[in-house]
Amino acid sequence: MNKLYIGNVSAEASEEDFETIFEQWKIPHSGPFLVKTGYAFVDCPDEKAAMKAIDVLSGKVELHGKVLEVEHSVPKRQRYVGFLLNSVLDGMLAQYGAVQSCEQEVYMLTSLILFRAMEKLNGSMMENSTLKVSYIPDETATPEGPPAGGRRGFNARGPPRSGSPGLGARPKVQSDIPLRMLVPTQFVGAIIGKEGATIRNITKQTHSKIDIHRKENAGAAEKPITIHSTPDGCSNACKTIMDIMQKEALDTKFTEEIPLKILAHNSFVGRLIGKEGRNLKKIEQETGTKITISPLQDLTLYNPERTITVKGSIEACAKAEEEVMKKIRESYESDMAAMNLQSNLIPGLNLNALGLFPTTAPGMGPSMSSITPPGAHAVYIQQGHPESETVHLFIPALAVGAIIGKQGQHIKQLSHFAGASIKIAPAEGMDAKQRMVIIVGPPEAQFKAQCRIFGKLKEENFFGPKEEVKLEAHIKVPAFAAGRVIGKGGKTVNELQNLTCAEVVVPRDQTPDENDQVIVKISGHFFACQLAQRKIQEILAQVRRQQQQQQQQQLKPTSGPQAPMPRRK
């Protein structure tokens, strides 16, 4: 598609003006400019020239006081259909809280409602066409090609510009999660080879980038190796390294067993193990290996990795490595999808600091801060100094030990990290299945503390490997404001549930407490809970502002002529 449409053209514009602009910006064109009232057309010799014109000129170059709009030209019929589709889509997507990116002109939704919208819209018919709704998975991925239509067709300006996400992105060749191994220090020389010949050969044969961290842990019995490649490339490099170690052991008459040791971020290990250890047992049975995992007590703030030790023949260990890393990559992709699609609930919050995802620790892949969530749009705007909030979060009683940690270390670290006060209330009865965690702090502290608690329950296998952690949170609101949360005929609370995908309940016939407050119950997964909490706090803030305005009006002196002072007799 090399024909261009130039819009927002001044009535004074001429063919010579466009010739000058294209010559100035060194943009080739293969035909004359067809200038009409308000718009113009021109042909480019190829797609590259057309894209350059769109990138360089559209929205950036002014002609006779008007900023030009440049895009791919589409047939009149498509323009009409595109306009019609846009009008209908605007209405349909507005129901789901869709917003448009000003820069890319594509629809974006918060993660909490994206799947609801996709479920409803995917496959639905409109103007004899079946809709297909998808999300942009990666800001840095290379686009396959232009989306259908131009600006007048499905609201997209031709193909995405350089650095912008494409609606269809090619999968990356290299895996985002590298393979991390621990090898005995005495075998490092053999793996490197004379003048690095062996490691270069492995790199070439397996198409991998291999880092041997020789300077880490000086004097340690084992050294970490990081392998960056495709999953197959990582597995081939791993097997080659195991073969080299086995040969070196025979040559040096090393009699001890050399197990395969894989390093994995702690956030993935719970899902690797599976509920009641089922995933790990399955891998052991299918590969004929024995697998053990280092205890949680070995973790520190500086070492978030667990050691997965695999014992068996080289072939068996190689098969186990494939299955273990497959599970870890699935967990990583799941977490990345959650992060890429989630809303920026707290402006300025650094998700990279939450510790739910691998960071730039050696070999743990790209920094999360380098990945811009394409669906991220703020739904909560914080003004002024954030007020402290109190949330009662209910967790399984069996999970209390994991949250507190040995001698209270975990809850202390969590409190310090989040900047919140975190206390666990005494059990209500001997058979209580839930315990209440009292979290006091501003919105960002609430987000951090609750995020870590949800993550901890996932790590400790209190929920299934593919199951979202769903908890109940209670917020106390002034009794007079409860009606605003419910809305007329329950309208507000129903809209709140549809928007957030959380269950929001204001129990009827509550007796207000000594502070004249009642409880709002919120149940759901982490992001659903967070969005519901923010929305309820917005309602309460609005109520407080209205109260302040009423009080200020009452304090104002009444205007108008004052009554005359009585005369003295």
Side-chain angles (χ1 to χ4, degrees), residues 56-270:
V56 170
L57 303 179
S58 189
K60 298 171 185 175
V61 173
E62 191 176 298
L63 178 62
H64 296 298
K66 288 195 170 187
V67 179
L68 298 176
E69 293 179 359
V70 184
E71 56 201 40
H72 287 94
S73 174
V74 294
K76 190 174 181 180
R77 167 65 185 161
Q78 283 183 311
R79 290 205 298 273
Y80 168 74
V81 173
F83 173 79
L84 190 62
L85 289 175
N86 282 340
S87 302
V88 179
L89 274 176
D90 285 341
M92 290 174 73
L93 289 173
Q95 305 174 55
Y96 300 101
V99 291
Q100 271 187 292
S101 161
C102 297
E103 294 177 358
Q104 296 154 356
E105 296 195 34
V106 290
Y107 284 98
M108 294 183 178
L109 300 93
T110 66
S111 62
L112 305 173
I113 52 177
L114 180 135
F115 294 109
R116 183 184 294 268
M118 286 177 70
E119 183 183 353
K120 294 282 185 183
L121 297 178
N122 249 331
S124 59
M125 296 295 295
M126 185 166 65
E127 289 297 305
N128 299 321
S129 297
T130 304
L131 287 181
K132 182 180 178 183
V133 185
S134 60
Y135 64 88
I136 301 167
D138 189 350
E139 181 84 8
T140 58
T142 306
E144 282 184 354
R151 187 167 198 267
R152 298 170 306 285
F154 258 85
N155 244 10
R157 288 187 175 177
R161 300 174 187 177
S162 176
S164 298
L167 293 178
R170 291 193 186 106
K172 292 182 179 179
V173 176
Q174 180 169 302
S175 171
D176 288 320
I177 283 283
L179 171 62
R180 295 261 292 159
M181 300 172 62
L182 271 181
V183 301
T185 301
Q186 63 262 43
F187 296 136
V188 169
I191 294 167
I192 295 171
K194 190 176 181 180
E195 297 179 351
T198 306
I199 196 73
R200 279 199 302 272
N201 192 37
I202 301 171
T203 300
K204 187 177 179 181
Q205 287 180 352
T206 63
H207 305 288
S208 306
K209 178 180 179 293
I210 303 174
D211 297 320
I212 300 177
H213 308 283
R214 285 180 290 176
K215 294 181 181 179
E216 284 186 30
N217 306 327
E222 296 171 312
K223 296 290 182 185
I225 293 178
T226 304
I227 305 169
H228 298 269
S229 184
T230 61
D232 285 343
C234 288
S235 296
N236 291 336
C238 174
K239 187 174 185 302
T240 304
I241 289 170
M242 285 192 290
D243 286 332
I244 290 169
M245 289 195 294
Q246 188 65 47
K247 184 177 181 301
E248 182 69 9
L250 291 171
D251 291 346
T252 58
K253 297 180 181 179
F254 184 84
T255 55
E256 294 179 27
E257 184 181 7
I258 310 168
L260 168 63
K261 291 190 176 182
I262 300 169
L263 295 172
H265 193 279
N266 184 50
S267 64
F268 305 139
V269 170

Side-chain angles (χ1 to χ4, degrees), residues 542-556:
Q542 190 178 22
V543 170
R544 285 194 293 269
R545 283 196 299 271
Q546 289 174 350
Q547 273 191 322
Q548 288 171 359
Q549 288 171 358
Q550 289 172 0
Q551 288 171 357
Q552 287 170 358
Q553 287 175 355
Q554 289 171 0
L555 292 172
K556 284 182 182 178

Side-chain angles (χ1 to χ4, degrees), residues 1-3 44-54 72 146 158-159:
M1 188 185 289
N2 304 332
K3 187 169 186 175
C44 289
D46 51 38
E47 179 67 11
K48 185 179 178 182
M51 280 307 304
K52 183 178 180 181
I54 293 170
H72 287 94

Side-chain angles (χ1 to χ4, degrees), residues 327-366:
K327 285 287 180 189
I328 288 171
R329 289 184 184 108
E330 284 173 359
S331 300
Y332 173 81
E333 286 163 10
S334 172
D335 288 350
M336 282 303 299
M339 182 175 174
N340 281 350
L341 294 173
Q342 67 86 34
S343 301
N344 285 337
L345 299 177
I346 311 294
L349 177 66
N350 181 10
L351 281 171
N352 204 24
L354 292 178
L356 289 184
F357 307 101
T359 60
T360 47
M364 288 314 296

